[in-house]
């Protein structure tokens, strides 16, 4: 599966992997699989990371670059992982005025109740970091939110 990767992807994966190879011995702690994939502009869910062998605790398992390449290729091929355009299309469904804004409260509700659920304590720092201020009607422009969110992932 890693053979399907372009030379550019291989170089990007090597570079990202090297950042998480803290000891410089050609291995990465499996705890960082998700972080490394996200650094490569992928959006794996927690469940996906778990299936790939990611661990919840540090120093439980180490992974080599040759073992990580197929994981990257697998997640890259995954059609369920949305990107910027997908997120914009979904939020347009909540844009009742068709002016690029949606209710802040609706965004919060969506993020707390759909898909891979977040706790309110997990969501608050994300919204604080990524959301522009609400207008007098409680609306926010959603495009800047998605831009910031996708660059953080």
């Amino acid at each position: 599966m890693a053979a399907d990767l372009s030379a550019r992807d291989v170089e990007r994966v090597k570079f990202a992997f090297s950042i998480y190879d803290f000891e410089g011995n050609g291995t990465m702690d499996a705890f960082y699989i998700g972080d490394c994939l996200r650094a490569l502009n992928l959006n794996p869910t927690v469940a996906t990371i778990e299936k790939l062998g990611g661990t919840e605790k540090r120093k439980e398992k180490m992974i080599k670059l040759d073992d990580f390449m197929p994981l990257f290729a697998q997640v890259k091929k995954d059609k369920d992982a949305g990107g910027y355009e997908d997120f914009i299309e979904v939020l347009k469904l909540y844009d009742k005025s068709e002016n690029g804004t949606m209710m802040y409260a609706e965004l919060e509700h969506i993020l707390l109740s759909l898909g891979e659920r977040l706790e309110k304590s997990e969501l608050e720092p994300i919204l604080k970091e990524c959301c522009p201020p609400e207008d007098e009607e409680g609306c926010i422009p959603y495009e800047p939110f998605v831009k910031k969110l996708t660059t953080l992932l």
Side-chain angles (χ1 to χ4, degrees):
M1 199 179 296
D4 299 341
L5 297 177
S6 69
R8 184 175 186 272
D9 278 343
V10 170
E11 287 307 309
R12 289 177 54 236
V13 170
K14 286 180 179 179
F15 177 73
F17 188 92
S18 72
I19 292 170
Y20 290 95
D21 177 8
F22 299 125
E23 297 178 18
N25 61 4
T27 63
M28 172 178 69
D29 193 321
F31 177 80
Y32 296 107
I33 288 175
D35 293 339
C36 191
L37 290 170
R38 290 183 186 105
L40 291 160
N41 292 326
L42 300 176
N43 297 313
T45 64
V46 173
T48 300
I49 295 165
E50 200 173 288
K51 280 187 213 169
L52 296 174
T55 59
E56 290 186 24
K57 295 179 183 171
R58 290 177 180 91
K59 301 194 188 276
E60 284 183 353
K61 176 179 161 188
M62 300 303 279
I63 184 170
K64 293 182 179 193
L65 176 63
D66 290 341
D67 298 325
F68 181 75
M69 283 282 187
L71 302 181
F72 170 79
Q74 182 180 341
V75 174
K76 185 175 181 194
K77 283 185 176 180
D78 186 6
K79 302 294 182 219
D80 290 336
Y84 174 82
E85 293 82 12
D86 300 315
F87 299 145
I88 290 293
E89 286 304 311
V90 168
L91 295 181
K92 280 183 182 178
L93 298 172
Y94 298 91
D95 182 358
K96 292 173 181 63
S97 302
E98 296 181 3
N99 63 357
T101 65
M102 69 180 292
M103 298 288 295
Y104 177 88
E106 249 180 343
L107 177 63
E108 184 178 53
H109 174 73
I110 292 164
L111 295 172
L112 289 173
S113 60
L114 298 177
E116 198 167 5
R117 289 181 171 81
L118 296 171
E119 296 296 322
K120 188 147 179 128
S121 61
E122 296 172 305
L123 180 60
E124 286 173 354
I126 295 168
L127 292 176
K128 185 178 179 185
E129 176 74 25
C130 297
C131 281
E134 293 177 67
D135 65 15
E136 60 278 348
E137 295 171 1
C139 292
I140 60 158
Y142 51 84
E143 192 172 339
F145 165 75
V146 175
K147 277 184 182 173
K148 282 187 178 179
L149 183 67
T150 55
T151 58
L152 290 175
L153 298 176

